[in-house]
Amino acid sequence: MRLMMLISLIAGIFLPSAVRVQAEELKEENVEIASDSAILLEGNSGAVLFEKNGDKKMYPASLTKIATSIYAIEKGNVNDLVTISKNATEVEGTKVYLEEGEQVTLKHLLEGMLINSGNDAAIAIAEHIDGNIEQFVKNLNHYLQEKMLITSTHFTNPHGLFDKEHYTTANDLAKITQYALQNSTFKEIFGTKQLEWHGESWNTTLYTHHLMLKGEIPYHGIVGGKTGFVNESKQTLATVADKTSMDLIAIVLKGKDKGVVYNDTINLLNYGFSYYKLDKIRSGQSFFKDGKTFLSTKEEVLVIPKRDSSINVASDGTLQIKNEKNKLIQKIHLKEISAAATPKYGEKPLNEMENTHKDHFESILFTVLIIGLSCLIVCKKNRRWLKRLIS
């Protein structure tokens, strides 16, 4: 209480009104998203920091190529030479202008597909990996279900051209992107801004279509991204940003134009970086709840709101982190080791965990503020004496 009174007094004297308003601007309810669906995921932990219609069935357009890429990388050999079919050259939409019979490495096709969104490259990749498009999409859907536990996605092609049975959700796309980013080859291509392309019929420099990654819409920390558009899906956008060791994945679906999806993405990233911070719990760390002892089974990254958060062990034995709206943002499974136990020396029950850090911080801050105020008072009283001393 004394700390809050002191902070309020100093803030009222020294801080401009714009700064005092900033805390209110960080709240989730102030994040305005105009697109139909969006999600913000922290990549290290899988914590969902914000979502709007995250589980709503949507058409992804070329964000499909994120899934195609990671599946092809994990199943194929990026050094393989791929022979381009007539079928690949005849696909609609954006291309890298492959020629029938041309031979291109699988990695170069992945680059053409992710950087320039080449639909012909996507067809060539699918045919090389599984022989034909039908077998590829069957295997791709199975791969997503088995590897990433994706349950609300069904793809009918490798590129994202519209099909009413080709759908996903913002939530699933965020999980797919999170998984894909663990692969160094995917991460490298996903973050490439420009690349020299030398084909049989097209020599050019490919530039990413993602305006934030390209730098046309400046935003510090952008490390990867993919755009998408078909009439039925409108604008779609996947963006990855890395600042202060926090990896944020923003998926925005069905924005009416490019301005909307980029503005929504910036709002999501600003909210994530401003409002949340990372912490860790070690493997084997003890937590205590209602006379029971729980252990973390591995080191875990925690994403914690910078204010107004709660960290508790729930009745099902999970460690739960909630934001200011009491919304669950992260859940970690713990192992119960005894029916009753007392904390070891130097440890505190989980319900005191957040207060331990808070009290320690407040004690330090209170001391610093007291010293600062004392210095101001002393300097004011002895201003004449100081002037004489300096002169």
Side-chain angles (χ1 to χ4, degrees):
M1 179 64 70
R2 62 178 182 173
L3 177 62
M4 294 308 296
M5 293 176 63
L6 186 59
I7 291 174
S8 296
L9 175 62
I10 295 174
I13 296 173
F14 297 103
L15 297 182
S17 58
V19 175
R20 295 199 295 273
V21 173
Q22 182 65 30
E24 293 300 318
E25 293 175 352
L26 299 178
K27 288 187 176 182
E28 182 180 337
E29 57 263 34
N30 291 328
V31 181
E32 296 184 1
I33 301 299
S35 301
D36 281 13
S37 177
I39 193 166
L40 181 67
L41 185 80
E42 202 289 312
N44 298 289
S45 61
V48 176
L49 309 186
F50 180 95
E51 67 176 306
K52 175 186 176 181
N53 299 324
D55 292 322
K56 182 179 179 181
K57 186 168 74 173
M58 305 291 292
Y59 301 122
S62 284
L63 300 196
T64 303
K65 291 165 182 164
I66 297 172
T68 296
S69 295
I70 187 57
Y71 170 60
I73 290 169
E74 290 201 343
K75 186 171 182 180
N77 183 330
V78 295
N79 296 316
D80 280 351
L81 273 178
V82 179
T83 301
I84 308 304
S85 70
K86 182 179 180 181
N87 186 44
T89 65
E90 293 177 342
V91 69
E92 299 175 358
T94 308
K95 300 182 182 183
V96 286
Y97 301 102
L98 299 170
E99 292 289 334
E100 183 181 357
E102 182 179 357
Q103 290 192 316
V104 186
T105 65
L106 178 59
K107 183 176 182 182
H108 207 39
L109 289 173
L110 290 164
E111 292 169 334
M113 181 179 67
L114 281 177
I115 299 169
N116 197 63
S117 207
N119 293 337
D120 49 355
I123 294 292
I125 290 168
E127 291 178 336
H128 173 74
I129 295 296
D130 284 315
N132 57 67
I133 302 304
E134 292 74 18
Q135 190 61 48
F136 178 85
V137 295
K138 180 180 178 180
N139 292 347
L140 175 61
N141 288 322
H142 180 74
Y143 165 83
L144 295 175
Q145 293 166 9
E146 292 295 312
K147 279 280 188 177
M148 305 172 213
L149 303 180
I150 298 301
T151 59
S152 301
T153 292
H154 181 264
F155 291 145
T156 62
N157 61 62
H159 40 59
L161 289 176
F162 177 72
D163 183 309
K164 65 179 181 180
E165 294 302 320
H166 185 98
Y167 57 81
T168 186
T169 67
N171 197 349
D172 279 1
L173 279 175
K175 291 178 182 178
I176 293 168
T177 305
Q178 180 194 21
Y179 179 89
L181 287 166
Q182 298 174 47
N183 183 281
S184 59
T185 300
F186 174 86
K187 190 172 183 178
E188 173 198 344
I189 301 172
F190 198 60
T192 299
K193 299 179 181 180
Q194 66 180 70
L195 179 79
E196 294 302 313
W197 181 270
H198 300 292
E200 285 192 6
S201 62
W202 201 39
N203 290 316
T204 188
T205 301
L206 303 182
Y207 294 94
T208 178
H209 296 181
H210 195 295
L211 299 182
M212 294 173 73
L213 178 60
K214 193 176 181 180
E216 290 186 13
I217 299 178
Y219 193 96
H220 176 65
I222 301 298
V223 296
K226 183 75 188 77
T227 63
F229 175 83
V230 292
N231 289 329
E232 294 81 0
S233 72
K234 303 303 181 186
Q235 295 289 337
T236 65
L237 193 67
T239 309
V240 180
D242 180 0
K243 285 197 291 188
T244 62
S245 300
M246 185 181 292
D247 295 333
L248 295 185
I249 299 168
I251 304 293
V252 178
L253 302 176
K254 203 169 186 180
K256 68 178 183 179
D257 56 42
K258 288 184 178 180
V260 167
V261 291
Y262 282 109
N263 188 62
D264 286 348
T265 297
I266 290 170
N267 287 341
L268 288 170
L269 295 178
N270 284 345
Y271 169 71
F273 286 125
S274 298
Y275 191 73
Y276 290 92
K277 62 182 179 181
L278 294 187
D279 204 343
K280 286 185 179 181
I281 56 173
R282 65 182 183 277
S283 177
Q285 185 167 340
S286 301
F287 302 96
F288 309 94
K289 178 74 172 180
D290 298 332
K292 298 179 181 180
T293 301
F294 299 87
L295 289 181
S296 55
T297 58
K298 60 181 179 178
E299 183 176 87
E300 298 274 7
V301 175
L302 304 183
V303 183
I304 303 173
K306 294 179 180 178
R307 61 183 184 87
D308 300 333
S309 63
S310 66
I311 308 173
N312 293 291
V313 173
S315 57
D316 63 354
T318 58
L319 182 67
Q320 298 190 357
I321 302 175
K322 298 181 179 180
N323 65 12
E324 83 282 353
K325 297 176 68 176
N326 203 37
K327 178 182 176 182
L328 180 67
I329 60 172
Q330 189 176 2
K331 180 165 69 173
I332 296 171
H333 292 279
L334 304 174
K335 180 180 179 181
E336 184 179 347
I337 61 170
S338 64
T342 55
K344 297 177 182 179
Y345 177 76
E347 293 185 327
K348 290 197 174 188
L350 186 276
N351 55 15
E352 297 181 24
M353 175 183 169
E354 55 185 315
N355 290 332
T356 299
H357 297 292
K358 183 179 178 181
D359 292 345
H360 181 64
F361 172 76
E362 288 190 353
S363 296
I364 295 174
L365 183 58
F366 183 78
T367 301
V368 171
L369 292 173
I370 287 294
I371 293 172
L373 278 178
S374 299
C375 290
L376 288 174
I377 293 170
V378 170
C379 289
K380 186 175 181 179
K381 288 184 177 180
N382 297 276
R383 186 164 50 190
R384 295 180 180 178
W385 181 81
L386 286 171
K387 287 182 178 179
R388 293 174 183 175
L389 181 63
I390 293 171
S391 61

